[in-house]
């Protein structure tokens, strides 16, 4: 429905008065000014007329039988569909108390009888102008509200896309665990956080034993599936939200364990090793077991200002190298030596 179609009249005015002479006089002078005028002789009929089609303005007599003007106005103001229609009271009552009563019931203006035609026209025009401005303001507010909602929806969608992009940028496409970028970001974040909290940070580096031989024997597709199984098994082994597994290299995985001392980290490493062995992924070319196994290096430190994050990584890498040197398929822990603070 197009609400912008121009009307042949300036406004729709409802005149309510139980005196036919008053109705005729008001109707004639308003019609001559280009207004559409509807006339009713009682408060009950006024409410019905407003229900059928709300007018732009109501001229309302106060003294009417059964339902006076105050009651009509109060009823109109109680309904959302009619509460914004301006009501001009027209009455022979000219006392201050009467006018206060009229305004207290929601009247927009008050004209005393006998009325002057020019005064009525001026007050009618004034209320219609105010009402028109209110409508325009409401339209602008509605548009602004809609724009705000659209902007909020756009911002929400943008945040969602950014999260998805960040996830894609930090997720290893093959194993569906964190990639090297994810590891670097989280490791540095946890290092700074635990440095402030003076709490331990443990790191585990895992290497699939003889994985090149596995690939050469069974093919790269089978090798990729093997890495997926290992990554997901490690991921399921970790129980705390802050713990993180990431693919560190080709067949290497890193596990970040905040708030974990060396003993707890070794326990996690052994649990991961056990869960991988339970997969029983056949590895016919391994010289340490008939199934796929892991060599694991573990280290731990309480981050400090006189330590660099890479020192923990280097210590863990040395522990992993020692595990390989000891025959693989084992866990080696290395205590990170903390340099003395310079005086």
């Amino acid at each position: 429905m197009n609400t912008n179609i121009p009307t042949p009249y300036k406004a729709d005015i409802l005149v309510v008065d139980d005196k036919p002479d008053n109705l005729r006089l008001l109707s004639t002078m308003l019609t001559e000014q280009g207004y559409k005028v509807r006339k009713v002789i009682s408060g009950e009929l006024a409410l019905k007329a407003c229900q059928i089609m709300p007018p732009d303005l109501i001229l309302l007599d106060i003294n009417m039988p059964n339902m006076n003007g105050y009651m009509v106005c109060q009823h109109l103001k109680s309904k959302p569909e009619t509460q914004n229609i301006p009501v001009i009271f027209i009455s022979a009552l000219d006392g201050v108390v009467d006018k206060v009563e009229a305004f207290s019931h929601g009247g927009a203006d008050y004209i005393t009888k006998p009325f002057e035609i020019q005064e009525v026209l001026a007050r009618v025009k004034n209320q219609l102008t105010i009402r028109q401005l209110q409508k325009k303001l409401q339209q602008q507010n509605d548009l602004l509200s809609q724009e705000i909602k659209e902007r909020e929806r756009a911002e929400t969608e943008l945040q969602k896309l950014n999260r998805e992009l960040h996830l894609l940028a930090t997720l290893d496409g093959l194993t569906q665990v964190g990639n090297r970028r994810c590891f670097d970001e989280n490791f540095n974040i946890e290092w700074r956080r635990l440095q402030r909290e003076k709490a331990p940070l443990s790191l585990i580096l895992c290497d699939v034993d003889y994985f090149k031989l596995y690939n050469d024997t069974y093919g790269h597709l089978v090798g990729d599936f093997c890495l997926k199984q290992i990554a997901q098994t490690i991921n399921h082994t970790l129980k705390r939200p802050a713990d993180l597994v990431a693919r560190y290299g080709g067949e290497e995985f890193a596990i970040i364990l905040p708030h974990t001392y060396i003993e707890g980290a070794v326990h996690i490493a052994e649990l991961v090793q056990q869960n991988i062995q339970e997969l029983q992924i056949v590895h016919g070319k391994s010289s340490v077991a008939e199934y796929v196994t892991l060599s694991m290096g573990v280290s731990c430190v309480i981050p400090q200002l006189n330590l660099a994050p890479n020192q923990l990584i280097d210590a863990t890498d040395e522990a992993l190298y020692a595990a390989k040197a000891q025959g693989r398929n084992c866990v080696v822990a290395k205590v990170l030596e903390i340099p003395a603070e310079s005086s």
Side-chain angles (χ1 to χ4, degrees), residues 175-245:
T175 61
Q176 295 299 296
V177 296
N179 59 15
R180 182 60 181 267
R181 174 181 172 181
C182 178
F183 169 82
D184 292 339
E185 287 182 1
N186 281 272
F187 184 75
N188 288 320
I189 289 172
E190 293 295 349
W191 182 275
R192 291 191 296 269
R193 181 171 72 90
L194 296 173
Q195 181 178 294
R196 293 192 301 270
E197 296 177 7
K198 295 179 171 51
L201 174 62
S202 285
L203 178 64
I204 303 173
L205 289 178
C206 319
D207 187 79
V208 183
D209 294 328
Y210 300 109
F211 187 71
K212 185 179 183 304
L213 289 175
Y214 185 91
N215 259 344
D216 292 342
T217 303
Y218 302 104
H220 287 280
L221 287 178
V222 177
D224 287 348
F225 183 69
C226 174
L227 291 177
K228 291 179 186 178
Q229 288 181 286
I230 291 171
Q232 292 306 313
T233 299
I234 297 173
N235 198 35
H236 291 149
T237 304
L238 306 179
K239 302 301 182 183
R240 300 179 306 176
D243 296 345
L244 175 78
V245 58

Side-chain angles (χ1 to χ4, degrees), residues 16 43 46 53 95 143 145 147 173 197 202 217 227 250:
V16 187
M53 182 177 292
L143 287 174
S145 178
E147 288 177 3
E197 296 177 7
S202 285
T217 303
L227 291 177

Side-chain angles (χ1 to χ4, degrees), residues 132-182:
Q132 188 64 30
L133 291 173
Q134 289 173 339
K135 287 182 178 179
K136 287 183 179 179
L137 180 61
Q138 185 61 49
Q139 290 173 353
Q140 292 298 319
N141 286 337
D142 291 343
L143 287 174
L144 180 60
S145 178
Q146 184 64 29
E147 288 177 3
I148 291 173
K149 289 179 181 178
E150 291 294 336
R151 184 176 299 175
E152 288 175 347
R153 278 196 290 268
E155 289 178 352
T156 300
E157 185 64 23
L158 181 60
Q159 290 172 358
K160 179 183 176 183
L161 290 174
N162 282 334
R163 286 194 297 270
E164 291 176 354
L165 285 172
H166 185 264
L167 180 62
L168 289 173
T170 56
L171 193 70
D172 180 62
L174 174 65
T175 61
Q176 295 299 296
V177 296
N179 59 15
R180 182 60 181 267
R181 174 181 172 181
C182 178

Side-chain angles (χ1 to χ4, degrees), residues 86-342:
V87 176
I88 300 177
F89 283 105
I90 298 182
S91 175
L93 304 173
D94 62 353
V96 173
V97 174
D98 302 307
K99 295 177 182 179
V100 170
E101 183 77 6
F103 287 119
S104 69
H105 281 85
D109 206 345
Y110 194 100
I111 301 173
T112 56
K113 297 177 182 179
F115 48 77
E116 294 289 338
I117 293 177
Q118 294 304 316
E119 179 187 4
V120 174
L121 293 176
R123 291 179 182 272
V124 165
K125 182 179 179 181
N126 181 57
Q127 289 302 321
L128 288 172
T129 300
I130 292 173
R131 181 62 185 139
Q132 188 64 30
L133 291 173
Q134 289 173 339
K135 287 182 178 179
K136 287 183 179 179
L137 180 61
Q138 185 61 49
Q139 290 173 353
Q140 292 298 319
N141 286 337
D142 291 343
L143 287 174
L144 180 60
S145 178
Q146 184 64 29
E147 288 177 3
I148 291 173
K149 289 179 181 178
E150 291 294 336
R151 184 176 299 175
E152 288 175 347
R153 278 196 290 268
E155 289 178 352
T156 300
E157 185 64 23
L158 181 60
Q159 290 172 358
K160 179 183 176 183
L161 290 174
N162 282 334
R163 286 194 297 270
E164 291 176 354
L165 285 172
H166 185 264
L167 180 62
L168 289 173
T170 56
L171 193 70
D172 180 62
L174 174 65
T175 61
Q176 295 299 296
V177 296
N179 59 15
R180 182 60 181 267
R181 174 181 172 181
C182 178
F183 169 82
D184 292 339
E185 287 182 1
N186 281 272
F187 184 75
N188 288 320
I189 289 172
E190 293 295 349
W191 182 275
R192 291 191 296 269
R193 181 171 72 90
L194 296 173
Q195 181 178 294
R196 293 192 301 270
E197 296 177 7
K198 295 179 171 51
L201 174 62
S202 285
L203 178 64
I204 303 173
L205 289 178
C206 319
D207 187 79
V208 183
D209 294 328
Y210 300 109
F211 187 71
K212 185 179 183 304
L213 289 175
Y214 185 91
N215 259 344
D216 292 342
T217 303
Y218 302 104
H220 287 280
L221 287 178
V222 177
D224 287 348
F225 183 69
C226 174
L227 291 177
K228 291 179 186 178
Q229 288 181 286
I230 291 171
Q232 292 306 313
T233 299
I234 297 173
N235 198 35
H236 291 149
T237 304
L238 306 179
K239 302 301 182 183
R240 300 179 306 176
D243 296 345
L244 175 78
V245 58
R247 190 179 181 189
Y248 194 71
E251 67 272 14
E252 286 188 333
F253 295 91
I255 304 172
I256 300 173
L257 300 171
H259 288 281
T260 305
Y261 285 100
I262 190 71
E263 296 83 4
V266 168
H267 172 73
I268 294 295
E270 292 173 345
L271 190 59
V272 167
Q273 196 175 45
Q274 176 184 330
N275 290 339
I276 296 299
Q277 289 173 355
E278 288 177 358
L279 292 175
Q280 294 190 346
I281 303 172
V282 176
H283 190 345
K285 295 297 182 178
S286 173
S287 60
V288 294
E290 58 182 317
Y291 302 114
V292 168
T293 58
L294 298 181
S295 296
M296 309 180 77
V298 184
S299 192
C300 173
V301 75
I302 296 176
Q304 299 181 24
L305 288 173
N306 59 332
L307 281 176
N310 282 342
Q311 290 178 262
L312 177 60
I313 296 175
D314 291 342
T316 311
D317 194 50
E318 289 174 9
L320 174 60
Y321 182 81
K324 292 180 180 181
Q326 290 180 21
R328 305 177 190 262
N329 190 25
C330 63
V331 176
V332 172
K334 178 178 175 61
V335 177
L336 177 58
E337 296 182 4
I338 302 175
E341 295 186 13
S342 57

